[in-house]
Amino acid sequence: MKSLKPKILRFESLPSTNTELARQASEGAGEGLSIVADEQTAGRGRLQRAWSSPRGAGLYFSILLQPTIPPNQWPLVTFMGALAVADALREACAVETDIKWPNDLLSGERKICGILAEAVETPTGRAVVVGIGINLTAEAYPADIAGLATSVAEASGRAPERETLLAALVRALSRWYSLLHEADGAERIVAAWTSRSSYASGKPVQVANGDEVWQGITRGVESDGALRLETATEGIKLVRAGDVSIRATQ
Ligand code: BTN
């Protein structure tokens, strides 16, 4: 059984916890090293976007993982991250979430957490930095995306306790990471992800990836985490990157 021994480094301010952890990983930091910052001055999101990270308004966290699973299953590390955040929000804040492919956490259809996984070369081989940004209060995100974003404070009606949430997150990551390394771990992660995501199957969505936009109905995920999208013109397409949004009309 693979067990994770997280060790947390805390910073008042960093450009990005992912960037700092990737730097330390390239210099030989070990699996489980985690970084938390009170604020990020250059927080990064998926698809080259910025991640707004004002002081004290969010949980800005990154952890270094070196999975010993087949390379084609590495995308499941982000599924595992989403499941861990969902567990932690439930356990520490009584907030229930939905997962939007691949790993956005939603509360009431608004985004409460984003995950950015980045591969990094280390002296002991390839590893992955999993960066997690959880909106604790509405100050975490710009007012002009208030219709699309939410926070733990709004979803729970209580002031969030960052340390309690962080401790629950680290425990949940350790649990799901061990499961990922079990013989049937990949299937169980995909099954758990599917059961927690209203986007997994039967959802009319639009997927944007650069200049390409596809429309279709979701039809589950492959064993490597690719989203199966049934389109009217091309049948089932496998989506491995892109931004999923609900399609207003069928
Ligand atoms: C997304 O676009 O949804 C992913 C957002 C990921 C943000 C987190 S905050 C901690 C870590 N450091 C970063 O610079 N990004 C991630």
Side-chain angles (χ1 to χ4, degrees):
M1 191 178 102
K2 178 126 164 145
S3 72
L4 199 56
K5 296 195 179 43
K7 174 183 162 210
I8 301 178
L9 297 183
R10 291 161 190 277
F11 290 80
E12 277 187 14
S13 180
L14 279 176
S16 154
T17 55
N18 265 34
T19 307
E20 175 60 19
L21 189 52
R23 187 190 68 74
Q24 295 203 22
S26 69
E27 291 180 356
E31 177 169 69
L33 184 68
S34 303
I35 292 188
V36 178
D38 294 343
E39 71 167 2
Q40 299 183 117
T41 53
R44 296 184 288 105
R46 288 177 63 233
L47 309 173
Q48 322 296 332
R49 297 189 182 119
W51 184 260
S52 156
S53 314
R55 180 174 296 268
L59 176 59
Y60 315 119
F61 170 89
S62 300
I63 186 165
L64 181 63
L65 301 175
Q66 199 156 28
T68 47
I69 55 176
N72 69 320
Q73 290 176 1
W74 277 45
L76 299 182
V77 171
T78 64
F79 274 27
M80 179 218 83
L83 288 164
V85 176
D87 277 3
L89 286 171
R90 176 184 285 167
E91 184 188 321
C93 312
V95 170
E96 295 296 325
T97 50
D98 188 12
I99 309 176
K100 179 161 80 75
W101 189 92
N103 48 34
D104 282 353
L105 275 288
L106 309 181
S107 165
E109 303 201 354
R110 291 190 290 159
K111 183 159 165 173
I112 196 166
C113 167
I115 299 177
L116 174 66
E118 298 178 297
V120 54
E121 295 304 330
T122 80
T124 54
R126 179 163 280 217
V128 58
V129 170
V130 179
I132 295 173
I134 302 177
N135 300 330
L136 295 177
T137 67
E139 285 69 44
Y141 49 83
D144 62 349
I145 61 157
L148 302 172
T150 189
S151 68
V152 174
E154 293 162 275
S156 68
R158 284 185 287 158
E161 300 210 3
R162 188 180 78 156
E163 289 307 311
T164 310
L165 178 57
L166 175 60
L169 176 60
V170 168
R171 281 196 302 274
L173 280 167
S174 302
R175 268 196 319 269
W176 285 107
Y177 195 57
S178 292
L179 178 68
L180 180 63
H181 286 84
E182 285 180 17
D184 58 352
E187 295 84 61
R188 288 169 69 188
I189 296 277
V190 169
W193 186 97
T194 301
S195 74
R196 306 259 194 110
S197 172
S198 75
Y199 283 76
S201 201
K203 188 89 127 188
V205 295
Q206 174 164 304
V207 181
N209 187 14
D211 291 341
E212 287 189 302
V213 177
W214 303 304
Q215 298 202 331
I217 313 276
T218 61
R219 298 289 184 218
V221 293
E222 295 282 294
S223 58
D224 66 355
L227 179 67
R228 293 165 57 83
L229 182 73
E230 186 178 351
T231 62
T233 49
E234 294 174 66
I236 297 279
K237 280 189 81 73
L238 297 185
V239 180
R240 292 204 157 79
D243 235 1
V244 171
S245 52
I246 296 182
R247 197 150 48 88
T249 52
Q250 297 268 346

